[in-house]
Amino acid sequence: MGIGAEEVLGGGRRGALIGPVLVLATLVAGIISSFGAPLIPTVARDFHVSLSSAQWSLTVALLVGAVSSPVFGRLGDGPRRRATLLGGLAAVTAGGVVAALADGLGTLVVGRGLQGVGLGLVPLAMATAREELPRARVAPMIALLSVSAGAGLGAGYPVSGLIVEAWGLAGAYWFGAVVSGFALVCVAAVVPSSAGRGVAARFDWPGTLLLALAIVTTLVAVAEGTEWRWGSPTVIGLLTAGAALFAVWAVQQSRAENPLVQLRLLRHPSVFAADACAMVLGVAMYMALSGVTEFVQSPRSGGFGFSASAVVAGLVLIPLSFLMLGSSRFLPALVSLMGARAVLALGCLVSALGCGFFAVVHGALWQAFVMTGVLGVGLGTTFAAIPGLIVEAVPARETGSAMGFYQVVRFTGFSLGSALTATVLAAHAGGDGQPAVGGFTMVLWIAAGICVVAAALAWFPRARAQRPPADEIRLPEQTGDDLTSDGLRP
């Protein structure tokens, strides 16, 4: 930021605005996601494609977010942080314009892919908060940023639904372009330049390419498994190739001089447990959200569903948004009382309860509201607790990279959840091509089971959660004052 802007804003005033502006940037990520699940039936209708094909308008954004997260996280660990924030928001704005002008599903998917770049802003915002805010404000702000992305999703759904009803699908994407453009202006005005803060390390382009290929290969196989047949050579080949690419990527990361992600940080039990929970909870979250929003929009003539509009489907997720934010406020007290791992496990079980409830009881619309409310309580505590576990376990200069990997596994889980939902519903389609009620209940039961698995992943390492030896976690290039004798942040 130039000297003139410094004089206008003043250091203290600008510092007070950094937190709200970072929250705004993460809300953009939530708004991007809000153009996914509730609008899938509208996309299918407007572009004359099946629901499983329309699901790609959501999956592609999550997929790009999974790749952009570690990229932005690594770029944010150095003097390029502000430029990366601005570039990401510019890509999101451009994506909104492309999606709004789309005349076919292919162009829409391209625009949604550009919008998905914005999902990588979350780890960058967290790294900026840790660098720019006083230490006492860092932990609460990181928890708020983590929850804001998910809460923005719930708040954005009804807004996008209202816009679609008033101005059509293109209107929703124009709205997204305006919001991201506003966030771009705010970041340019408030977030200070990070130029001169360290030396920019060489970027790991091979690692980025390998990760992108691994994620895309695996997700295409999962998303198209039902249509192509799970036992077909194509699907088996893609899944095998995806697993091989992930293995090659892990080896490449362990040997790279400046890796995209410091995988050795996973040796710390807190980091490993947090990332594992983020992955499986991401799958469960998007299975539940996609399932419930498509269920309530299903026509009553099929014997289930509520023939709801996109607006009503969005309103169903309002309890999720409010209770995710509300429950996160009780996190410090819960952690003091129970410990972080117990809070994680409890939140996962509460989420499982919400999914199981609607799988059993789904005869009235109010039951969908109850389901998302319970899910919001569970996800609010878990997604607020996970970043804190990671940040407290890693060196300060690796915050962006570590949070970038957290977002990788989180958004990979989101993408898998979206793709799996389409797969399960397609496998339970009736003669008219529309999903049967058994498909929706199967989606919810799978999501509930995954939440139970997440609880086990959070709780199991308790018995062996001791700090690893210094040579396992210390990074060779790091000897700064922010590290303790065991290589961890004090």
Side-chain angles (χ1 to χ4, degrees):
M1 182 174 288
I3 299 298
E6 287 278 355
E7 293 173 350
V8 172
L9 290 173
R13 181 183 174 188
R14 185 181 64 184
L17 292 174
I18 288 177
V21 167
L22 293 177
V23 171
L24 174 63
T26 57
L27 284 174
V28 167
I31 291 170
I32 290 168
S33 299
S34 75
F35 298 152
L39 302 188
I40 288 172
T42 305
V43 171
R45 183 175 60 253
D46 286 6
F47 291 99
H48 308 290
V49 297
S50 66
L51 280 175
S52 59
S53 296
Q55 189 86 23
W56 276 103
S57 64
L58 169 61
T59 302
V60 71
L62 299 174
L63 189 154
V64 173
V67 177
S68 66
S69 292
V71 173
F72 283 8
R74 177 53 71 190
L75 289 175
D77 285 328
R80 301 169 292 200
R81 180 175 298 134
R82 181 172 179 270
T84 305
L85 266 172
L86 294 174
L89 287 168
V92 177
T93 304
V97 174
V98 171
L101 297 175
D103 57 357
L105 183 61
T107 306
L108 177 65
V109 167
V110 171
R112 291 286 292 145
L114 284 171
Q115 286 187 312
V117 170
L119 297 174
L121 296 175
V122 179
L124 195 54
M126 291 178 178
T128 303
R130 187 170 184 177
E131 179 73 22
E132 302 294 342
L133 297 180
R135 180 162 182 164
R137 292 179 56 195
V138 169
M141 179 56 64
I142 286 179
L144 178 61
L145 291 173
S146 178
V147 175
S148 292
L153 177 152
Y157 276 173
V159 173
S160 61
L162 283 169
I163 294 174
V164 166
E165 284 203 351
W167 293 292
L169 196 61
Y173 296 126
W174 281 120
F175 172 75
V178 170
V179 170
S180 56
F182 177 71
L184 173 64
V185 172
C186 291
V187 169
V190 172
V191 175
S193 172
S194 53
R197 301 184 185 181
V199 179
R202 176 182 295 181
F203 189 74
D204 182 17
W205 290 110
T208 302
L209 179 60
L210 283 170
L211 178 62
L213 289 174
I215 292 175
V216 170
T217 301
T218 303
L219 283 178
V220 168
V222 173
E224 303 296 339
T226 298
E227 185 172 342
W228 294 348
R229 298 192 314 276
W230 286 102
S232 68
T234 301
V235 173
I236 293 175
L238 286 172
L239 290 174
T240 303
L245 285 167
F246 274 118
V248 172
W249 175 73
V251 173
Q252 183 269 340
Q253 291 293 285
S254 66
R255 296 179 178 178
E257 182 179 353
N258 296 295
L260 186 67
V261 176
Q262 288 287 358
L263 292 180
R264 70 182 65 193
L265 295 173
L266 292 175
R267 298 181 185 181
H268 192 287
S270 293
V271 177
F272 179 81
D275 283 332
C277 281
M279 167 71 87
V280 293
L281 280 175
V283 175
M285 177 177 174
Y286 262 77
M287 292 191 77
L289 297 188
S290 296
V292 72
T293 52
E294 292 181 37
F295 182 96
V296 299
Q297 293 182 80
S298 297
R300 293 181 183 272
S301 58
F304 67 96
F306 309 111
S307 300
S309 65
V311 176
V312 174
L315 290 173
V316 165
L317 297 181
I318 286 292
L320 173 84
S321 178
F322 279 102
L323 289 175
M324 279 187 74
L325 283 173
S327 61
S328 67
R329 301 293 297 272
F330 297 100
L331 181 66
L334 288 173
V335 170
S336 298
L337 181 65
M338 305 170 57
R341 290 182 182 276
V343 171
L344 270 180
L346 179 61
C348 294
L349 293 176
V350 171
S351 300
L353 178 64
C355 296
F357 168 79
F358 196 67
V360 175
V361 184
H362 46 256
L365 186 59
W366 66 265
Q367 293 158 352
F369 283 87
V370 172
M371 177 262 190
T372 60
V374 175
L375 195 64
V377 172
L379 294 176
T381 53
T382 54
F383 282 139
I386 288 173
L389 285 173
I390 297 174
V391 168
E392 288 301 316
V394 303
R397 67 174 295 180
E398 285 298 320
T399 300
S401 178
M403 295 311 300
F405 185 68
Y406 159 64
Q407 293 300 117
V408 168
V409 297
R410 187 181 181 187
F411 285 122
T412 299
F414 289 171
S415 303
L416 285 171
S418 175
L420 280 173
T421 300
T423 297
V424 173
L425 294 181
H428 291 78
D432 58 355
Q434 297 300 312
V437 65
F440 289 105
T441 55
M442 178 64 71
V443 164
L444 292 168
W445 280 124
I446 293 174
I450 289 173
C451 289
V452 173
V453 171
L457 289 172
W459 185 260
F460 179 70
R462 284 179 64 87
R464 53 187 180 87
Q466 55 187 15
R467 289 190 171 190
D471 61 347
E472 289 189 358
I473 199 72
R474 181 188 292 273
L475 305 180
E477 71 275 13
Q478 292 177 331
T479 55
D481 294 336
D482 62 328
L483 302 184
T484 62
S485 60
D486 59 0
L488 303 176
R489 181 178 180 271

XYZ file of all heavy atoms in Angstrom, residues 4 48 76 145 190 205 272 291 328 360 362 414 484:
103
model
N 0.416 7.439 0.498
C -0.812 8.224 0.549
C -1.927 7.507 1.263
O -2.649 8.078 2.069
N -30.787 -27.924 -19.586
C -31.341 -29.169 -20.130
C -30.357 -30.341 -19.989
O -30.040 -31.046 -20.949
C -31.717 -28.992 -21.600
C -32.603 -27.803 -21.852
N -33.923 -27.753 -21.442
C -32.345 -26.600 -22.445
C -34.447 -26.579 -21.781
N -33.516 -25.868 -22.386
N 1.313 -17.326 0.348
C 1.082 -16.408 1.457
C 2.154 -16.442 2.517
O 2.179 -15.579 3.394
N -12.546 -17.086 11.205
C -12.333 -17.222 9.767
C -12.700 -18.621 9.290
O -13.288 -18.794 8.216
C -10.875 -16.916 9.415
C -10.435 -15.462 9.565
C -8.933 -15.340 9.354
C -11.182 -14.566 8.595
N -7.035 -1.944 2.610
C -6.786 -2.150 4.041
C -5.583 -3.053 4.328
O -4.766 -2.742 5.207
C -8.044 -2.750 4.708
C -7.751 -3.163 6.151
C -9.182 -1.744 4.656
N 6.123 -25.856 -8.527
C 5.208 -26.123 -9.637
C 5.014 -27.612 -9.892
O 3.879 -28.044 -10.158
C 5.694 -25.417 -10.899
C 5.547 -23.936 -10.829
C 6.548 -23.008 -10.731
C 4.330 -23.190 -10.815
N 6.027 -21.738 -10.644
C 4.670 -21.818 -10.708
C 2.982 -23.540 -10.881
C 3.709 -20.817 -10.673
C 2.033 -22.545 -10.844
C 2.382 -21.201 -10.743
N -2.203 -34.368 12.407
C -2.739 -35.513 11.670
C -4.216 -35.725 11.980
O -5.044 -35.918 11.073
C -1.953 -36.778 12.010
C -2.474 -38.003 11.302
C -2.122 -38.272 9.992
C -3.351 -38.874 11.946
C -2.612 -39.389 9.333
C -3.846 -39.988 11.295
C -3.469 -40.245 9.982
N -27.801 -33.467 -0.219
C -28.960 -34.347 -0.086
C -30.203 -33.614 0.384
O -31.284 -33.757 -0.200
N -19.579 -21.841 17.728
C -18.139 -21.583 17.773
C -17.777 -20.632 18.900
O -16.638 -20.636 19.377
C -17.661 -21.016 16.435
O -18.194 -19.720 16.209
N -34.291 -40.730 9.118
C -35.418 -41.476 9.689
C -36.724 -40.705 9.578
O -37.780 -41.265 9.232
C -35.130 -41.814 11.171
C -36.342 -42.478 11.823
C -33.916 -42.732 11.274
N -38.523 -37.554 7.788
C -38.431 -36.555 6.721
C -39.791 -36.317 6.061
O -39.885 -36.102 4.853
C -37.409 -36.990 5.660
C -37.558 -38.430 5.262
N -36.682 -39.407 5.706
C -38.470 -39.081 4.484
C -37.050 -40.569 5.217
N -38.131 -40.391 4.467
N -15.076 -32.034 0.575
C -16.270 -31.415 0.005
C -16.541 -31.948 -1.403
O -17.672 -32.288 -1.763
C -16.097 -29.897 -0.078
C -16.118 -29.185 1.255
C -15.785 -27.840 1.333
C -16.469 -29.843 2.418
C -15.804 -27.173 2.541
C -16.485 -29.190 3.637
C -16.152 -27.849 3.701
N 10.357 -23.345 19.630
C 10.835 -23.829 20.909
C 11.878 -24.910 20.667
O 12.216 -25.246 19.536
C 9.669 -24.410 21.734
O 9.133 -25.507 21.021
C 8.581 -23.377 21.922
